[in-house]
Amino acid sequence: MKKAGKAEVILVLDVSGSMSGSAIRNSAAAARSFVDRAEAGTYIGVVSFSTSARLLLGLTEVTDAASRTAIKAAVPTTTSATTCIGCGMQTALTELNASSRDMAQMMALLTDGGENVSPRVAQVLPSVIAAGVMVNSIGLGAAADRQLQDIADQTGGAYYFAPGGDQQ
């Protein structure tokens, strides 16, 4: 994984029931690795989503080991319910829109499945595009929604696929 440049980044993490077991452990490990590799001066927030979304940590500046530890402590490790990708993106966008810093903004969206709860990505994506937020999406396993590639393409981000959901 490349180092993140100085930017505002929201980790948008799927915690739906299908992410139980190794998937949630690998997701959490990947998120923590991202935090470890982020440049000082980067702001990172954490959103989890299943049936709804929760802002677990607002944008927090990476300054030292203590700030990295605090951000990593917000990464979720438990799962439940269904999948509302649009909810996660909407919550992340709200946090990014509240920022007054003049920095690039992006979401790192990690999920293993298709959405089955509204608002759907199609309802939220136009607002993400209008705000100029880049979305890098990571699909875990064969059930990963094919629209993750489209989300990345439409926002200038990149799409990554872990076929077995076991890769970090």
Side-chain angles (χ1 to χ4, degrees), residues 14-16 24 76-80:
D14 184 349
V15 295
S16 64
I24 193 68
T77 58
T78 59
T79 62
S80 68

Side-chain angles (χ1 to χ4, degrees), residues 15-45:
V15 295
S16 64
S18 61
M19 289 287 293
S20 64
S22 65
I24 193 68
R25 287 190 299 274
N26 291 337
S27 171
R32 289 190 294 265
S33 178
F34 178 87
V35 173
D36 284 337
R37 296 171 188 215
E39 290 183 22
T42 300
Y43 287 78
I44 300 175

Side-chain angles (χ1 to χ4, degrees), residues 62-79:
V62 174
T63 56
D64 56 16
S67 64
R68 289 178 197 280
T69 298
I71 295 166
K72 290 188 292 186
V75 172
T77 58
T78 59
T79 62

Side-chain angles (χ1 to χ4, degrees), residues 42-138:
T42 300
Y43 287 78
I44 300 175
V46 180
V47 167
S48 68
F49 66 91
S50 57
T51 303
S52 60
R54 289 182 46 212
L55 178 65
L56 301 176
L57 180 71
L59 288 165
T60 301
E61 186 176 9
V62 174
T63 56
D64 56 16
S67 64
R68 289 178 197 280
T69 298
I71 295 166
K72 290 188 292 186
V75 172
T77 58
T78 59
T79 62
S80 68
T82 56
T83 309
C84 183
I85 298 171
C87 295
M89 292 177 67
Q90 189 171 54
T91 300
L93 183 60
T94 299
E95 176 67 6
L96 290 168
N97 283 341
S99 171
S100 60
R101 286 178 286 276
D102 185 23
M103 301 177 90
Q105 295 183 320
M106 80 173 232
M107 296 179 201
L109 171 63
L110 195 148
T111 181
D112 76 333
E115 60 188 338
N116 47 31
V117 178
S118 291
R120 306 243 179 212
V121 168
Q123 296 168 285
V124 177
L125 190 56
S127 298
V128 173
I129 293 168
V133 175
M134 177 190 301
V135 181
N136 292 311
S137 57
I138 301 103

